[in-house]
Amino acid sequence: QVQLVESGGGLVQAGDSLRVSCAASRRTFIRYAMGWFRQAPGKEREFVAHISGNGYTTSYADSVKGRFTISRDNANTVYLQMSNLKLEDTAVYYCAARTYDSSSYYHYDYWGQGTQVTVSS
């Protein structure tokens, strides 16, 4: 069943801001790291951001560092705040979670269905 649900995508103008959210249905996801990935048409899925289980440590792809912020709250929700959006940010954004300990930024076993973010000029 679907256990991660993204929301908040839409059509925005370049330079605008948008926050996408990921609601986790299982409390255990909060114990472990979560991440955001994106996939543009004709391209492979790429890493965007990561946040540790305790929320203290974050990591970002170079392409979004300084513009995007990942965070998590106490209600099983992870956010990606996107600022100064660029045309190349257009993609389907996916959140990811895992239920085991790992030091990897990239390996997860649960994925959401994605939310479309389109940036226009």
Side-chain angles (χ1 to χ4, degrees):
Q1 70 272 20
V2 176
Q3 295 175 312
L4 298 170
V5 180
E6 300 94 337
S7 62
L11 175 63
V12 298
Q13 298 181 64
D16 208 347
S17 298
L18 191 68
R19 186 179 73 170
V20 291
S21 302
C22 176
S25 64
R26 300 178 70 88
R27 180 187 57 82
T28 52
F29 290 156
I30 299 300
R31 294 182 57 191
Y32 305 103
M34 297 184 69
W36 284 97
F37 292 74
R38 67 187 183 186
Q39 187 168 20
K43 297 185 177 181
E44 294 184 346
R45 182 177 60 192
E46 66 173 342
F47 167 76
V48 175
H50 159 279
I51 187 165
S52 63
N54 60 20
Y56 294 159
T57 304
T58 59
S59 184
Y60 300 91
D62 288 342
S63 59
V64 306
K65 191 173 184 178
R67 299 188 297 119
F68 290 12
T69 302
I70 187 171
S71 61
R72 62 197 308 169
D73 64 13
N74 296 319
N76 287 18
T77 302
V78 178
Y79 305 94
L80 185 69
Q81 177 67 49
M82 302 179 286
S83 299
N84 191 25
L85 283 160
K86 305 176 183 297
L87 294 178
E88 53 264 39
D89 294 320
T90 294
V92 177
Y93 284 72
Y94 300 91
C95 68
R98 61 189 177 218
T99 55
Y100 55 91
D101 288 323
S102 174
S103 61
S104 175
Y105 296 157
Y106 312 114
H107 298 294
Y108 303 88
D109 56 345
Y110 291 90
W111 296 85
Q113 294 295 109
T115 186
Q116 176 72 48
V117 174
T118 302
V119 184
S120 64
S121 61

